[in-house]
Amino acid sequence: MIRFENVTACYTKDTGIFNLSFTILKSDMVFLMGPTGAGKSTVLRAIIGDIPINSGKIFIDDQEIPRSNSRKISYFRRKVGTIFQDFKLIKNKTVYENIALPLRITGTPGKIIREKVYEVLKQVDLTGKEKSMPLQLSGGEQQRVSIARALVSEPLVILADEPTGNLDPIVSDDIIDILEKAAQNGTTVLMSTHNYPLIRPRQKRFIELNKGYLIQ
Amino acid sequence: MIRFENVTACYTKDTGIFNLSFTILKSDMVFLMGPTGAGKSTVLRAIIGDIPINSGKIFIDDQEIPRSNSRKISYFRRKVGTIFQDFKLIKNKTVYENIALPLRITGTPGKIIREKVYEVLKQVDLTGKEKSMPLQLSGGEQQRVSIARALVSEPLVILADEPTGNLDPIVSDDIIDILEKAAQNGTTVLMSTHNYPLIRPRQKRFIELNKGYLIQ
Amino acid sequence: MFRKFIFLLSESVKALSRAKIPALISSITIAITLFIFSIAYYSLTNMIGYSHDFKRKYRIDVFFSPEVEMKQGMELFNTILLIDGIEQGDFVDREDAAVEFQRLFNYDVVEIIGENPLPFGGKYEIDKSYRKAREMGKIVNEIRLIPGVDLALFSTGLIMRIDKIIGNIVGIGFIIGIGIFIISVILVSNTIRLIIHAKQDDIHTLRLLGATDLFIKFPFVMEGILQGVIGAGLSILAITLLKSILYYILGEFQFVILEPVMLVSGNIVAGCLLGIYASYRSISKYLL
Amino acid sequence: MFRKFIFLLSESVKALSRAKIPALISSITIAITLFIFSIAYYSLTNMIGYSHDFKRKYRIDVFFSPEVEMKQGMELFNTILLIDGIEQGDFVDREDAAVEFQRLFNYDVVEIIGENPLPFGGKYEIDKSYRKAREMGKIVNEIRLIPGVDLALFSTGLIMRIDKIIGNIVGIGFIIGIGIFIISVILVSNTIRLIIHAKQDDIHTLRLLGATDLFIKFPFVMEGILQGVIGAGLSILAITLLKSILYYILGEFQFVILEPVMLVSGNIVAGCLLGIYASYRSISKYLL
Ligand SMILES: Nc1ncnc2c1ncn2[C@@H]1O[C@H](COP(=O)(O)OP(=O)(O)OP(=O)(O)O)[C@@H](O)[C@H]1O
Ligand SMILES: Nc1ncnc2c1ncn2[C@@H]1O[C@H](COP(=O)(O)OP(=O)(O)OP(=O)(O)O)[C@@H](O)[C@H]1O
Ligand SMILES: [Mg+2]
Ligand SMILES: [Mg+2]
């Protein structure tokens, strides 16, 4: 569950997000729509504490997200799987190690890591690329590594920031299927996108933003 | 004009592009289609000499693209405007300086640079963002900076690698309009994309790739 | 926890072998530091060796009155030996004195003066802890008061000068030592800070994935240690090389021998400590 | 071309003010190098000052035969003055000799021996270029052959020792100088190489946009120069500070005065050269 209560987080007086309030229930998959620069990424970055909130409150599963204490934020972030718009892959680690990272951070045994990584590699159709470095991949492949990394730790919440921008329609559909299945298994999924044709057939709820404000 | 003659450029035995031959005429706009990992970026990178060619020849305006001599390659690249799939913006330069870079490289006077930069800023609808740093922009805004940089020097050839992946349908259409207008003015435009719905209405020729091979 | 440790350890090794240039640069910096340290250490050791040479000059010459004969002279000699600060002594009879005179001043008294004018006497070596101009002055005065002693003397000027030089060397050496230490830490931690600077995007990503401070810092500290070991290796190599070169150029002079065990173990321990301290310092300044 | 130059120049200044940490680190490295150099330079100057002190000992003492009287002695004295390598001299009569003897050996010959056994003689200072044990030996032999000269001597042992020490100091100083130079260049170019390493993505982007080598290299060289100037400033500050500290601690000793103009101009020129050379070196190794 994700709840925003009058959240304002702005970079300057008129860029950022302003006075947002909404609730996304557990096991729900919600799309965050809006034109470029609307504030979609800002919403997601506010949830994982990547940018500070000026006012208002954000709750995950009825717990307010931690702010100051860096240790608490770390443990909170482990519950969230994020697909970043710019992928944020570690350049000098292999695909395998990039995907394994969230599990390394929680100290998962190597054998279990192996199993899980190979499972998500299959899901995103990258089997055979595990030894490549990120710069040896095509744009779409890099994006799928980022998706796999968000899935591998089976998080409570998945934040997907434009996860299909570099993927062709068929693969995009597969990815959204995977996210939908995760939601069915109890994960809360919030996915930002401006690809309306892609999500229209899904019949999901969507939240629409424009210039930082919610459109009712 | 861009001409490929039996070009092979491969990373490993079965990834890369193989035995490609095609011609794109001056003032033409051609789409490079294909699923993720098909080799679209590889084609574009081969044209600007970012990766070596194993065999075959690539011609721009009937001149073979230079290989070894680094000075010749530099002068050749100035005739090409590239929109990179991963933007390749310089992080510690402002939007203005990023866009001005191709003109700085050719030693254009500052006054002319100013005029041209503000003109393309208006074209890609980023007026007012010229003093921002790339990391202070949304994904779509960064992509438009990259587009503006490719347009600013009015190149003979524009190579656009998935230039609308981070843009909403309306802005994407505007961008393709800009590229089409450039083609009408004599520029050769080669744009890679997997967004078929976006380009269908345009009625342009397209080249289709799959696993590195041309699909006739 | 242990699993995480193993992972982080292997990560550090990988980081070193992958990010070759930064790691190598850091190692070279450490190597240079250790090299300077070792050179300084062995220079000091050699200098002390030198000054021991000088210290042989810390000797008091005693001349007995001309009327003192052999037997009484021996008694006097033994009395003086018992004074605090006298380490050992040699009895000097008339002929010895003449020979000594010739050795010191390069000419023969007997030849100049026609007869041997020198009385019996003694040469005394001074205990190490008394080898200062002031202490020696006291001893000399004590000896002078003994009946039958005509003269007791030491070369004040020379000893004062040596005292001054050694004082200066120790003082300057101390300042240089502090200087080298500060410089080393600055240089190594700067290098590591540059490496962290280059990795700051990756560090931000790790933070967003929920990594704790420890997880992020550990590889840097481990890298510091590994670079310390590599740096130590390089410096040991360089010193061994330099030693051979010095032997070749200045072969005629005597050098204090470099004990290999000391050199190797000292360098490795110092390298590791330097690596740990510098990386930890740069991390805490830069990461938090 | 000129326009491009202006742009690149302003770029370099911006780069320095934006990428604060790497630039500062490079400046600090240069500062440390210049600091060490300056310290070494002024230490050497001071050491040479010291050794001049020692050189006063380069003196030949001549004793005439006992039967030589005043007038003949003066003639002999003047003859010797004309020998090559003799810079100046003082005539020593019997009383002078006794006084000198007491000054040197701390006791009175007349008191020991009962009469003044010392003949007339002379003290001669040796020309700088002859101040070596071998040269002096030649002069002494020449003097010895003059009729009426009984003895000519100099304190061989001491002079040989000083010769050795000065030889050592110059030799070691030379090696240290080369060492510092190599170390500096390695350190500075390593730092710049690290900076280039961190910027390699940007450099690749510039290449893909058609930038020539010069366009890419120029800012790094300019940055090197600017860092050199900043480093020089820092080192001048540090040396001025150190000087006051040394004055405070070792106030009793005399130091060669640091000429401010020399210090400032020398440091700035050396800083720039170091910056240029190191950046150029790292660029050509790393960029091509
Ligand atoms: N770090 C920052 N500093 C200042 N302004 C910022 C920063 N990040 C984003 N902005 C501005 O905030 C606005 C919203 O940005 P955001 O990234 O949330 O947009 P978005 O909806 O994700 O757009 P896109 O679809 O293009 O990714 C934009 O106008 C952007 O320029
Ligand atoms: N530097 C590299 N080293 C090795 N393999 C590479 C490298 N770059 C790309 N590849 C591989 O070559 C194939 C084609 O890559 P390319 O980037 O051309 O695909 P693309 O058509 O642009 O895909 P996308 O739409 O995902 O960007 C991919 O399978 C990719 O993994
Ligand atoms: Mg966004
Ligand atoms: Mg691509």
Side-chain angles (χ1 to χ4, degrees), chain A residues 138-139, chain B residues 40-41 85 161:
Chain A
S138 81
Chain B
K40 303 181 295 293
S41 300
Q85 193 171 9
D161 197 356

Side-chain angles (χ1 to χ4, degrees), chain A residues 129 135-141 166, chain B residues 11 15-16 35-42 45 85 194:
Chain A
K129 291 282 184 191
L135 289 181
Q136 297 176 331
L137 297 179
S138 81
E141 287 161 351
N166 287 275
Chain B
Y11 307 105
T15 57
T36 165
K40 303 181 295 293
S41 300
T42 307
R45 291 174 69 193
Q85 193 171 9
H194 27 52

